[in-house]
Amino acid sequence: MRQSPGKPPAVSERPTRIAVDLDHLAFNLRSIRAHVGVPVMGIVKANAYGHGLVPVARHLQAQGVEQLGVAFVEEGIALRQAGVTTPVLVLGGIFGRQVAQFIAHDLEITVSSPDKLRQVEAAAQAMGRKAVIHLKIDTGMERIGVHSYSSKAFIEAAVASQWCALKGIYSHLACSDDPHSSMTAQQVERFLEACSHIERIGAPMPLRHLANSGGVLHFPDTWLDMVRPGIMLYGVQPDPASLRTVDLKPVMSLASQVVYFKVVKEGHPVSYGATWAPERDTRVVTIPIGYGDGYPRALSSRGEVLIRGHRYPIVGRVCMDQFMVDIGQDSAWNEDEVMLIGSQGDEALTVEVLAQRAGVIPYEILVGLNDRIPREYRGA
Ligand SMILES: *Cc1c(COP(=O)(O)O)cnc(C)c1O
């Protein structure tokens, strides 16, 4: 094609891209709501599990999600700077020096110790503005939070605080991905026991929330006043043991294009380390994505892709920016679409299967896909 004079050629778009289906995101939110019947805190930490923090949060807000949850204050600030106005809870542990930023950006604070409560009060008082807080109770995760069995004084101090508005009280489930674990019932019991102290001292009950995706899928006792689904919002099951009790659609797909075709002779090894060689002459195509994009190197000679509606194996090691696929005696052409996550024809490759092949959890696949891959948003 001719360029008009003086105009630089259009910057070429990377052929490898993540498509985020916002209609599926909205579908999953509706499914979760219908299942639990309580308000939802949509978890959008870690770049919305790789789907893009701001576009996902904006869409959830447009769908009327009651609350958003992130891990770090920086993620909350990014949401505010993008104009997201939905209440945001920062789930992670805080440092005293960060409290002013929370308050300035209207972010809700996880208060996970008496010491941190004092730090929040001091900063709020200094600013002359109340901090909105959720108390974190440890019921068995041993991560952050005050042990349920010694939380009474902590709860009383929070209730009595002049500079903290007590909006929520919560805990986190350690084993909810497994519907058969007895740990969850124990955690529910410990959590409700801690909450009952608020009742006992005659204070109004804040929002009690406990359920991650596993809780939503398997344990109605954990739903309480609000649920905190993350991975299931994106249409992915948390664990191979998890049950499909909620109808979900995958939000992410990942596609690339064939960039090279060659015939590899019998016995000639492919890629670093010469770990794989064909037993007879075969056709091999190269795909321009690798572990530098977060595509797991563990899929070396274990992963699969879809080309022209057929499933083909990855052969040899996944490189930083490329890997090779054996198409046998079939045909493929440069620029043919290659699906790495998603469907093509009658075939589909899910994040769950990819994770199993790579020996990781689905979360790692999603959040591993990095900013080198452009995201495009469909639907809505
Ligand atoms: C990440 C996180 C969630 C969401 O977990 P999923 O398993 O993705 O649903 C909920 N609550 C807390 C405190 C979290 O850190």
Side-chain angles (χ1 to χ4, degrees):
M1 225 170 33
R2 282 183 51 190
Q3 299 289 330
S4 52
K7 226 178 163 192
V11 176
S12 92
E13 299 255 287
R14 195 171 168 199
T16 302
R17 45 196 47 244
I18 286 171
V20 175
D21 190 323
L22 294 173
D23 290 338
H24 286 188
L25 179 69
F27 176 91
N28 296 339
L29 178 62
R30 281 197 302 276
S31 281
I32 294 166
R33 276 185 194 294
H35 185 65
V36 300
V38 297
V40 174
M41 179 189 305
I43 305 300
V44 294
K45 63 192 178 187
N47 199 28
Y49 291 58
H51 294 69
L53 173 66
V54 167
V56 166
R58 280 197 180 129
H59 197 61
L60 291 174
Q61 174 170 288
Q63 305 303 308
V65 79
E66 284 80 3
Q67 174 106 31
L68 294 167
V70 294
F72 303 136
V73 66
E74 292 78 12
E75 295 172 322
I77 292 171
L79 288 176
R80 290 291 178 253
Q81 287 175 341
V84 172
T85 55
T86 301
V88 174
L89 172 62
V90 176
L91 300 161
I94 60 155
F95 296 92
R97 62 177 186 272
Q98 296 174 325
V99 176
Q101 286 194 299
F102 276 87
I103 298 174
H105 290 96
D106 197 17
L107 300 169
E108 298 174 10
I109 307 173
T110 292
V111 172
S112 56
S113 75
D115 218 40
K116 292 182 196 290
L117 178 64
R118 282 188 288 272
Q119 290 173 331
V120 172
E121 286 181 300
Q125 183 167 20
M127 291 175 83
R129 253 174 89 181
K130 272 199 175 190
V132 179
I133 64 167
H134 296 237
L135 302 185
K136 185 72 186 279
I137 305 298
D138 187 345
T139 58
M141 184 79 178
E142 302 292 353
R143 192 166 65 180
I144 62 169
V146 174
H147 288 128
S148 50
Y149 48 78
S150 51
S151 59
K152 285 184 182 158
F154 174 57
I155 287 172
E156 285 166 21
V159 164
S161 171
Q162 298 298 300
W163 289 100
C164 293
L166 181 56
K167 175 172 171 180
I169 180 166
Y170 76 106
S171 188
H172 192 55
L173 299 172
C175 302
S176 62
D177 296 350
D178 174 0
H180 306 296
S181 170
S182 57
M183 179 85 173
T184 301
Q186 196 172 42
Q187 288 195 267
V188 171
E189 192 186 318
R190 290 173 179 164
F191 182 60
L192 292 179
E193 169 57 25
C195 292
S196 70
H197 191 60
I198 300 176
E199 229 160 31
R200 241 177 275 132
I201 61 178
M205 186 60 76
L207 284 176
R208 301 162 306 163
H209 48 99
L210 185 55
N212 52 8
S213 293
V216 170
L217 288 169
H218 307 132
F219 298 100
D221 286 354
T222 65
W223 300 346
L224 301 173
D225 305 324
M226 185 180 266
V227 295
R228 303 192 308 266
I231 198 160
M232 70 184 301
L233 263 182
Y234 307 98
V236 176
Q237 294 285 108
D239 189 271
S242 299
L243 305 176
R244 298 183 181 276
T245 56
V246 178
D247 191 16
L248 302 170
K249 297 182 179 180
V251 174
M252 180 189 286
S253 55
L254 171 62
S256 187
Q257 290 178 339
V258 171
V259 74
Y260 207 90
F261 172 96
K262 61 159 48 101
V263 173
V264 176
K265 285 192 186 299
E266 172 197 332
H268 286 224
V270 170
S271 194
Y272 289 120
T275 58
W276 180 90
E279 287 170 3
R280 58 179 176 136
D281 292 6
T282 192
R283 297 171 173 183
V284 168
V285 293
T286 300
I287 319 301
I289 170 174
Y291 66 80
D293 300 290
Y295 192 79
R297 186 168 174 276
L299 291 173
S300 298
S301 291
R302 296 184 62 85
E304 286 179 326
V305 302
L306 306 178
I307 304 172
R308 297 180 168 237
H310 297 286
R311 217 172 250 274
Y312 296 111
I314 294 174
V315 290
R317 292 209 178 128
V318 172
C319 311
M320 189 184 288
D321 321 296
Q322 313 179 63
F323 65 77
M324 276 64 86
V325 169
D326 180 11
I327 61 167
Q329 300 312 305
D330 292 350
S331 332
W333 298 84
N334 281 328
E335 299 186 21
D336 273 355
E337 181 191 68
V338 182
M339 286 310 286
L340 296 95
I341 296 172
S343 55
Q344 196 184 58
D346 299 330
E347 294 280 359
L349 289 174
T350 64
V351 173
E352 289 91 331
V353 167
L354 227 70
Q356 261 186 310
R357 291 275 173 106
V360 299
I361 56 172
Y363 300 77
E364 276 186 271
I365 299 283
L366 292 174
V367 304
L369 297 169
N370 63 37
D371 275 355
R372 200 157 75 140
I373 310 174
R375 268 83 172 152
E376 86 195 4
Y377 293 86
R378 296 186 184 153

